[in-house]
Amino acid sequence: MTNAILLTAILAACAVLIWILWQQQEVQADKTKEQEDARIPPLLRGINFLLSDEPDRALKELVHVAKLQTETAEVYLALGDMFRNKGEFGRAVRIHQNLLARPDLPQHLHMQAQVALAVDFQAGGLLGRALQQYGRVLDLQPGHIHALESSLRIREQGREWELAEELLQRLDRVRGTTSNLHHAYLLTEMARQKLVRKDEDGALAMVQQAIEKAPACAAAHLLLAEIDLKRGDVDAAVNSMRQLHAAAPYYLPLLVPVLLAHPKAYDSHGQAFLAQCWKDKHDELLAIAWIRALHGARGIEAAQQLKQSIAFEPRTLSACLHMKALLGEEDSLTRASRQWQSAQKNYSCVECGAKFVDMRWQCPQCHEWGSMRPIKEKEIA
Ligand SMILES: [Zn+2]
């Protein structure tokens, strides 16, 4: 009996001991879990929200992480770039602004965040704010090439040519280069603006400066011819046209409407100049531009006469369609050819391959100047 009581007591003691140990383990596990909880979230929670496509809640958690831990700033910068690349500019801006608000942000990351914020604004189309932000970067680091290049691009987009020219000069100094052709195109655009404001003398001086910088600048030769024609100096205009022919003959089609805007000069000298150019190379694109411009200025009969007098026979499919659109009888094929003509891409960029309907002196895609060439098609066998 005594043994039975003793055994029961031992078993009871063991049960109590096991229960106490088990309780202690539970408490320990809870403590560990609590410690982990304090360390891992909100980063994990943020990532979880990201994975479950809840970017706003993710952002809230990650902002908290960035405030707590300095070493997460790089991750945070990458996250901002990711949002920008996805087209979520507002979120990218918030991330980079939050980073910049941190007083303990290391200097190199501070600069990266400043640049990233400027890129966010630029990618989101807030060009004024992007310029301000690039300005802050340049205050901190006056030779920052990316900030200078991006500011130059924005000024060019806004047609603020004087400011663009200043930025290009700064870039040249930093890079140790001389971008003469780029300068010449900017000067030509400045001259064009002066001409619009009826300042012919100012425009003439500026375009001459452009040609001095880069004799290969086709836009400058074309504008000089236009200024000469406006001033009634036909001999000088013919000289400018010859210069254009020598520098970039493929841009001659652009000269035709300029000439036809001055009928006297066209009749006295222009017509003969174009006829000579046509005779030299039989450039199909020149003939098409000439017939089209004459059709617009003097009607279909003048255009037909010109086609006959220069004995123009289309040798490519696109030339056939152009002629049909311009001179064809009113039928469904002529109407279809006109539709085709209005959407036809006539120029492509030699730098990036982008194709456009109209001529641009600066490629909208790669921002190179003077890189557009007329698209030539294969001749019909
Ligand atoms: Zn391009």
Side-chain angles (χ1 to χ4, degrees), residues 349-354 356 363-368 371-372:
C349 173
V350 290
E351 292 297 325
C352 72
F356 300 92
C363 173
Q365 189 161 295
C366 70
H367 312 289
E368 192 67 31
S371 59
M372 291 285 167

Side-chain angles (χ1 to χ4, degrees), residues 153-208:
R153 198 138 296 152
I154 295 171
R155 294 297 184 194
E156 286 179 338
Q157 261 179 283
R159 307 179 67 76
E160 297 172 291
W161 307 117
E162 280 89 351
L163 294 168
E165 168 66 9
E166 278 173 31
L167 283 161
L168 184 59
Q169 283 177 16
R170 277 177 74 177
L171 255 176
D172 271 350
R173 281 197 296 275
V174 174
R175 288 187 190 136
T177 53
T178 43
S179 316
N180 280 339
L181 192 62
H182 193 162
H183 281 291
Y185 275 104
L186 292 179
L187 288 166
T188 306
E189 292 301 335
M190 283 150 75
R192 205 185 303 281
Q193 276 183 343
K194 284 186 185 294
L195 200 61
V196 170
R197 294 183 204 125
K198 313 277 181 210
D199 177 8
E200 282 177 16
D201 292 340
L204 183 64
M206 197 138 278
V207 83
Q208 281 169 339

Side-chain angles (χ1 to χ4, degrees), residues 272-285:
F273 173 79
L274 291 175
Q276 188 59 50
C277 295
W278 163 248
K279 213 174 147 191
D280 285 349
K281 290 196 175 161
H282 283 83
D283 177 1
E284 198 169 52
L285 296 175

